[in-house]
Amino acid sequence: VLESVMGRILEIKEYLVKLSGFKFINFDDILVDLKLIPETLELPVPRYFVDERQKDLELREKLVKTLIAARDADAEEQPDENAKESLSMDDAIRFIQVNERGRQGKQRA
């Protein structure tokens, strides 16, 4: 039942987008008229979605702990090499630009 309601809400949103011509629908005026706060529009995540993903979340948590432990082990083995290295200003700017482009690419995807 919940999935059909969510599907219908998406259909209604698509219809409203077509009518208004805007990609996003602004509910501010409606909320003020109904004297509601914006949090009333937020839908909670259904419990069965969380329960279905519990195994995936536990696996991901184990992976993250393993990666953190490996990173800490590498940091303990080679603390002097990291301290001796220094970047030139051009290399530091290039490094920041590459990371920022990657972050923005992930954000768009």
Side-chain angles (χ1 to χ4, degrees), residues 4 11 18 28 36 41-42 49 58 60 64 70-71 74 80 83 86 97-98 101 106 109:
S4 62
E11 289 174 1
K18 287 181 183 177
D28 290 344
L36 297 174
L41 294 179
E42 292 184 19
F49 284 147
E58 289 174 0
R60 183 184 301 165
V64 168
R71 182 198 66 192
D74 288 343
D80 296 334
S86 63
Q97 287 175 340
V98 167
R101 287 185 194 124
K106 284 183 182 179

Side-chain angles (χ1 to χ4, degrees), residues 87 89-101:
L87 296 175
M89 185 62 79
D90 292 335
D91 291 338
I93 291 172
R94 224 175 281 121
F95 182 75
I96 292 171
Q97 287 175 340
V98 167
N99 283 324
E100 181 62 18
R101 287 185 194 124

Side-chain angles (χ1 to χ4, degrees), residues 45-95:
V45 176
R47 184 169 182 88
Y48 67 90
F49 284 147
V50 176
D51 292 342
E52 287 177 359
R53 295 196 58 216
Q54 190 65 32
K55 290 181 182 179
D56 294 334
L57 294 174
E58 289 174 0
L59 182 62
R60 183 184 301 165
E61 188 174 331
K62 287 179 185 178
L63 177 64
V64 168
K65 286 180 181 179
T66 305
L67 291 173
I68 289 174
R71 182 198 66 192
D72 292 343
D74 288 343
E76 290 175 3
E77 292 175 4
Q78 303 170 350
D80 296 334
E81 292 179 16
N82 292 337
K84 292 180 183 176
E85 293 181 22
S86 63
L87 296 175
S88 68
M89 185 62 79
D90 292 335
D91 291 338
I93 291 172
R94 224 175 281 121
F95 182 75

Side-chain angles (χ1 to χ4, degrees), residues 1-23:
V1 175
L2 180 62
E3 291 172 354
S4 62
V5 171
M6 291 185 331
R8 183 68 180 135
I9 288 174
L10 290 174
E11 289 174 1
I12 292 171
K13 182 182 182 284
E14 182 180 347
Y15 179 71
L16 290 173
V17 167
K18 287 181 183 177
L19 284 177
S20 68
F22 297 113
K23 190 172 185 175

